[in-house]
Amino acid sequence: MDFLRGLYIIPWSKNYISVFLDIIIVSYLIYKTYTTLRRTRGIQLLLGVGIIWISGSLAEFFGFELLEFILTNIRPALVFAIIVLLQPELRRLTGDLARIRLLRFFFLKPSFDLDPIVEAVRNMAQSKIGSIIVLVKDISLKDITENAVAIDSVVSSELLQTIFFKNSPLHDGAVIIEQNRIICAASYLPMSGSVEISTLGARHRSALGLAEETDAIVIVTSEETGDITVCFDGEMFHPVKALELKALVNNLMTGQKKSKEDDRRKTRDKEKESGVNS
């Protein structure tokens, strides 16, 4: 305690409870930032920024005036560089914070009839038709839907299969479903910035990218293998059997703990490189 008091970082005249809560909140923010950036190019950028910052301090300490002058003038620009270059990661971080359970009271509870969706996915997987279906939960995708083809229709298996039918004008992008209505089609999703998924096809990288930035559930069918993949919360479940798809999506919707079997299907990093191609 005496050592910490000597640092003069924490105002010890304050109530110890408020100091404790302050430390907990800051620790949580640091943890969330690290877990958000650790598998993206953002962590490399932050390491580079850290090296520049430390180098400036060392140059000042050892009296390297020219190097100190250069680094001192670079430092202010690093703040803007982080904001510009880490936009996807910052969106995901703010999205993660919005998913805190205490804040869910302010969101409209998502409602879906999964039967037509599961039927369409099963048929498209059997026919090896590539597709991306996005189920919106709490975080709005308005910035994506505004640049897509508006549909605003009741969900049906036939309509979903028609949209993704090969050579259909709308089959290239993703279908976004919100409150049991197909909001739009031909939506282009943000690509994942993870450094270890270079072997994934564009369809799967887009699905994982959206799952990293929002709380949406993304269902993908591969046109090469016919496999079904589910992306949620920056994680990928592959392959998912058609008979298990509804139960898995229901669990993700309700926030229930996933079963051990689901956890074994979950692939991260190296497993993603082993044959999930659009």
Side-chain angles (χ1 to χ4, degrees), residues 205-274:
R205 281 186 282 129
S206 296
L208 186 60
L210 185 68
E212 288 174 343
E213 296 183 15
T214 71
D215 63 348
I217 299 172
V218 190
I219 305 171
V220 183
T221 57
S222 172
E223 62 185 358
E224 291 187 1
T225 64
D227 287 342
I228 300 172
T229 302
V230 176
C231 297
F232 176 70
D233 195 23
E235 299 176 349
M236 182 174 286
F237 301 83
H238 171 85
V240 178
K241 296 180 181 179
L243 294 176
E244 300 170 342
L245 178 60
K246 184 176 180 180
L248 174 59
V249 174
N250 267 325
N251 286 338
L252 298 178
M253 278 289 177
T254 57
Q256 293 176 1
K257 188 175 181 180
K258 295 178 275 295
S259 66
K260 292 182 180 179
E261 184 178 356
D262 291 333
D263 288 332
R264 284 194 293 267
R265 285 201 308 268
K266 184 173 61 179
T267 59
R268 280 178 177 267
D269 308 319
K270 292 182 180 179
E271 293 180 355
K272 294 171 190 172
E273 297 178 2
S274 63

Side-chain angles (χ1 to χ4, degrees), residues 8-269:
Y8 294 104
I9 296 176
I10 302 174
W12 292 98
S13 58
K14 287 188 176 181
N15 187 297
Y16 281 94
I17 295 178
S18 64
V19 172
F20 176 76
L21 291 176
D22 190 14
I23 294 174
I24 292 296
I25 292 171
V26 172
S27 301
Y28 175 78
L29 291 175
I30 293 174
Y31 168 76
K32 290 302 294 184
T33 301
Y34 171 72
T35 55
T36 300
L37 298 179
R38 63 179 176 174
R39 288 185 172 86
T40 68
R41 294 181 178 88
I43 194 67
Q44 298 174 347
L45 175 62
L46 288 183
L47 286 174
V49 170
I51 291 172
I52 293 174
W53 211 274
I54 294 172
S55 298
S57 300
L58 291 176
E60 181 180 359
F61 178 79
F62 289 109
F64 300 153
E65 295 183 2
L66 181 58
L67 182 59
E68 179 188 352
F69 173 79
I70 294 173
L71 295 178
T72 300
N73 285 277
I74 289 177
R75 281 177 177 179
L78 295 179
V79 177
F80 297 100
I82 291 174
I83 294 174
V84 172
L85 297 177
L86 294 184
Q87 283 187 14
E89 288 79 7
L90 291 174
R91 284 199 301 268
R92 183 184 173 193
L93 179 60
T94 53
D96 287 344
L97 294 176
R99 281 178 242 174
I100 297 175
R101 290 185 180 274
L102 293 176
L103 300 179
R104 291 184 180 179
F105 174 79
F106 299 99
F107 295 105
L108 184 64
K109 186 177 180 180
S111 173
F112 294 96
D113 180 8
L114 294 178
D115 289 334
I117 298 173
V118 171
E119 180 183 350
V121 171
R122 182 178 65 247
N123 292 338
M124 289 187 291
Q126 290 176 350
S127 303
K128 293 187 177 180
I129 296 174
S131 67
I132 310 179
I133 299 175
V134 179
L135 307 181
V136 180
K137 291 185 67 182
D138 297 331
I139 299 177
S140 173
L141 302 181
K142 188 175 181 181
D143 57 329
I144 296 176
T145 59
E146 285 178 343
N147 298 313
V149 178
I151 294 182
D152 193 21
S153 170
V154 175
V155 178
S156 71
S157 173
E158 293 78 12
L159 180 55
L160 288 173
Q161 293 179 71
T162 301
I163 291 173
F164 289 112
F165 188 77
K166 192 173 183 180
N167 298 326
S168 163
L170 302 178
H171 86 283
D172 263 345
V175 161
I176 295 180
I177 300 176
E178 185 173 4
Q179 294 300 324
N180 212 37
R181 294 189 70 83
I182 299 178
I183 303 300
C184 62
S187 307
Y188 291 95
L189 311 180
M191 291 282 188
S192 173
S194 179
V195 295
E196 299 183 4
I197 59 169
S198 58
T199 59
L200 286 175
R203 187 172 284 116
H204 288 82
R205 281 186 282 129
S206 296
L208 186 60
L210 185 68
E212 288 174 343
E213 296 183 15
T214 71
D215 63 348
I217 299 172
V218 190
I219 305 171
V220 183
T221 57
S222 172
E223 62 185 358
E224 291 187 1
T225 64
D227 287 342
I228 300 172
T229 302
V230 176
C231 297
F232 176 70
D233 195 23
E235 299 176 349
M236 182 174 286
F237 301 83
H238 171 85
V240 178
K241 296 180 181 179
L243 294 176
E244 300 170 342
L245 178 60
K246 184 176 180 180
L248 174 59
V249 174
N250 267 325
N251 286 338
L252 298 178
M253 278 289 177
T254 57
Q256 293 176 1
K257 188 175 181 180
K258 295 178 275 295
S259 66
K260 292 182 180 179
E261 184 178 356
D262 291 333
D263 288 332
R264 284 194 293 267
R265 285 201 308 268
K266 184 173 61 179
T267 59
R268 280 178 177 267
D269 308 319

